[in-house]
Amino acid sequence: RPMEVRKERQKQDSSGLVHGSDGWLIYNGDERKREDGCITKHRYSLDKHSLEEHDLPKGITGIAFHKIPFAKGVERYVYPFTEINIPPEKEETWYSADGQMSDYKAERRGIKMVAKEAKHRENLGRKFQESLARVQAEAAEIARAFNRRVRGPAELQLNFVEADIYKCYDSGYPNGEAWVLVEAELEGRFTK
């Protein structure tokens, strides 16, 4: 199984497109449509003590994450993730006539990222992901405070990965909503 996942990662990283037929779940469009596949982006606000909705970056029309996780922890699976663009002029030709996700494709955009999704069905909603985003936002603020206090060389500075949360409308999830925590992919090997 690890060799299968490694080959899959190599295939995913070698193309400017993601394809539903290669195992990518593609969500495109904004929440105003409120149909399967539409998405919103959120970030935890320490000032407001809740998630704040943010616009998608310019040129981004949606997201895609892979069905096969490449890592797992005690509570979450980790999937390859990317922001995408489906140009309006190609939308009809890139979606199948019968609307099967396996026939969708999209342009990969932005930096390499990972999506973290709860392993247990009871944690698939907003509450679980929001609590994790809060912890990451608090840790990032503590790291910034440390850096201001120490004011030392770069090797003494702490950095903490900021996280965003995406909500995707998907009838296959509880309440028709998939919530995933997303952060930049870090290069290298890490130990918890």
Side-chain angles (χ1 to χ4, degrees):
R1 177 95 179 162
M3 182 59 90
E4 173 188 327
V5 172
R6 201 167 337 159
K7 284 181 184 175
E8 186 63 37
R9 282 291 281 164
Q10 289 169 351
K11 183 167 69 170
Q12 294 162 20
D13 294 340
S14 65
S15 168
L17 295 176
V18 291
H19 296 265
S21 60
D22 290 337
W24 285 89
L25 298 171
I26 297 172
Y27 298 89
N28 192 56
D30 63 34
E31 183 183 62
R32 290 178 290 256
K33 295 179 187 174
R34 293 190 67 84
E35 58 190 40
D36 274 7
C38 296
I39 60 118
T40 56
K41 180 179 182 176
H42 307 265
R43 182 165 279 189
Y44 191 85
S45 167
L46 291 173
D47 295 335
K48 296 183 180 176
H49 304 288
S50 65
L51 291 179
E52 275 189 335
E53 189 171 328
H54 290 265
D55 291 333
L56 294 175
K58 186 176 173 122
I60 303 297
T61 62
I63 62 168
F65 63 97
H66 204 270
K67 292 179 187 176
I68 301 172
F70 68 88
K72 65 180 176 177
V74 174
E75 295 181 305
R76 299 182 290 177
Y77 293 111
V78 184
Y79 300 88
F81 178 94
T82 187
E83 291 176 320
I84 61 160
N85 179 47
I86 298 180
E89 67 275 7
K90 295 185 178 180
E91 195 165 347
E92 279 187 35
T93 61
W94 283 11
Y95 284 1
S96 69
D98 59 2
Q100 294 296 313
M101 270 192 157
S102 64
D103 295 331
Y104 291 3
K105 61 183 168 182
E107 296 174 346
R108 181 189 308 264
R109 292 289 172 97
I111 63 170
K112 284 185 180 180
M113 293 186 272
V114 297
K116 297 180 178 180
E117 184 177 54
K119 286 170 77 173
H120 307 289
R121 189 161 178 82
E122 65 271 12
N123 290 334
L124 286 176
R126 173 186 175 135
K127 186 177 177 182
F128 179 74
Q129 298 293 15
E130 185 173 0
S131 69
L132 295 170
R134 178 187 51 79
V135 169
Q136 284 192 237
E138 289 171 353
E141 181 54 36
I142 291 168
R144 286 189 290 273
F146 175 85
N147 293 339
R148 286 190 299 272
R149 183 81 181 255
V150 172
R151 297 181 200 243
E155 57 270 5
L156 291 180
Q157 298 293 299
L158 298 178
N159 292 302
F160 203 89
V161 177
E162 299 271 353
D164 290 313
I165 295 178
Y166 288 84
K167 174 178 73 171
C168 314
Y169 288 101
D170 187 325
S171 57
Y173 283 81
N175 300 325
E177 298 173 353
W179 291 82
V180 294
L181 185 131
V182 175
E183 57 193 36
E185 182 176 338
L186 302 175
E187 297 293 325
R189 294 178 57 104
F190 300 90
T191 304
K192 191 170 185 177

